[in-house]
Amino acid sequence: MKIRKIGKPQRRDFIDLLLLGDEQIEMVERYLDDGEMFVLYEGNIPVSASIVIEIGTRTFEIKNIATWPQYQGKGYGTALLSYITEYYNPHADVLYVGTGNNQRTLNFYKHAGFSFSHIVKDFFLENYDHPIFEDGNQLIDMIYLKKVLTSSTE
Ligand SMILES: CC(C)(COP(=O)(O)OP(=O)(O)OC[C@H]1O[C@@H](n2cnc3c(N)ncnc32)[C@H](O)[C@@H]1OP(=O)(O)O)[C@@H](O)C(=O)NCCC(=O)NCCS
């Protein structure tokens, strides 16, 4: 497995993978050309992707992370998250990620050392043009988790 940074002109090649993590194209377009994009490859196959943007001084946010369904549950997402944590460690004090209220996704981040930060009420109602469902539940609020990085003095 290897992880590559993806330049802006190539990012649209991975749009279907990014739409798994954020299903409305207009929302993905908001950050597609920002920050850094990372893709994890197994051999020549891109299996997981993520985009991370800077949101403040030494503060970054994971805007999207997704693994193709047939590769989920095999550790690829965790490997990518761990790479991102190491990559930003020298540059950031804190890494945020926002997600819907989906227990499986929350567990994925909690296993990687993220903990609850705050909630943005009605985010999915106000920012998406259709109701978003995951595992049979409608997503309403955005739940932010954070990880304080080890180089931080916080
Ligand atoms: C969430 C996601 C990125 C995790 O990637 P992954 O490659 O499956 O992650 P890993 O195999 O390293 O970790 C699996 C852990 O994630 C959790 N998980 C979340 N969604 C899962 C899924 N669909 N399948 C399997 N595990 C999932 C489980 O808690 C699992 O923990 P466990 O191994 O202790 O049971 C991936 O499932 C995915 O792309 N889901 C759809 C898009 C999405 O919801 N992205 C997050 C948006 S904020």
Side-chain angles (χ1 to χ4, degrees):
M1 136 187 6
K2 59 183 173 297
I3 294 169
R4 291 195 189 132
K5 271 211 291 184
I6 306 297
K8 289 174 188 167
Q10 278 72 51
R11 292 186 182 182
R12 271 158 224 283
D13 297 349
F14 303 93
I15 203 82
D16 289 345
L17 185 49
L18 294 170
L19 285 169
L20 278 180
D22 194 352
E23 68 181 52
Q24 190 171 310
I25 184 79
E26 295 82 2
M27 296 300 281
V28 176
E29 299 275 4
R30 285 189 188 179
Y31 53 77
L32 184 62
D33 291 327
D34 293 337
E36 313 257 38
M37 178 169 179
F38 304 89
V39 170
L40 181 152
Y41 290 82
E42 186 60 75
N44 291 324
I45 303 167
V47 299
S48 299
S50 183
I51 292 182
V52 182
I53 67 164
E54 189 168 12
I55 57 167
T57 308
R58 292 180 62 81
T59 307
F60 290 77
E61 178 178 340
I62 298 168
K63 297 297 289 185
N64 193 322
I65 184 163
T67 300
W68 284 118
Q70 63 270 38
Y71 292 100
Q72 289 176 9
K74 298 179 192 296
Y76 293 115
T78 300
L80 185 54
L81 203 48
S82 154
Y83 179 90
I84 286 169
T85 304
E86 287 303 310
Y87 181 92
Y88 284 97
N89 198 25
H91 314 292
D93 294 328
V94 59
L95 203 49
Y96 283 95
V97 65
T99 177
N101 189 9
N102 176 321
Q103 204 51 52
R104 286 202 304 169
T105 313
L106 289 168
N107 285 343
F108 167 69
Y109 293 119
K110 285 180 179 166
H111 289 165
F114 284 75
S115 57
F116 177 77
S117 171
H118 61 281
I119 287 179
V120 178
K121 287 283 274 178
D122 296 333
F123 180 88
F124 288 94
L125 301 181
E126 289 172 1
N127 287 280
Y128 289 79
D129 63 12
H130 63 285
I132 309 283
F133 286 87
E134 271 183 23
D135 290 350
N137 297 314
Q138 187 178 357
L139 305 186
I140 308 284
D141 302 329
M142 179 78 100
I143 300 175
Y144 273 92
L145 305 173
K146 72 173 181 179
K147 183 164 180 165
V148 175
L149 300 181
T150 54
S151 67
S152 160
T153 50
E154 248 189 49

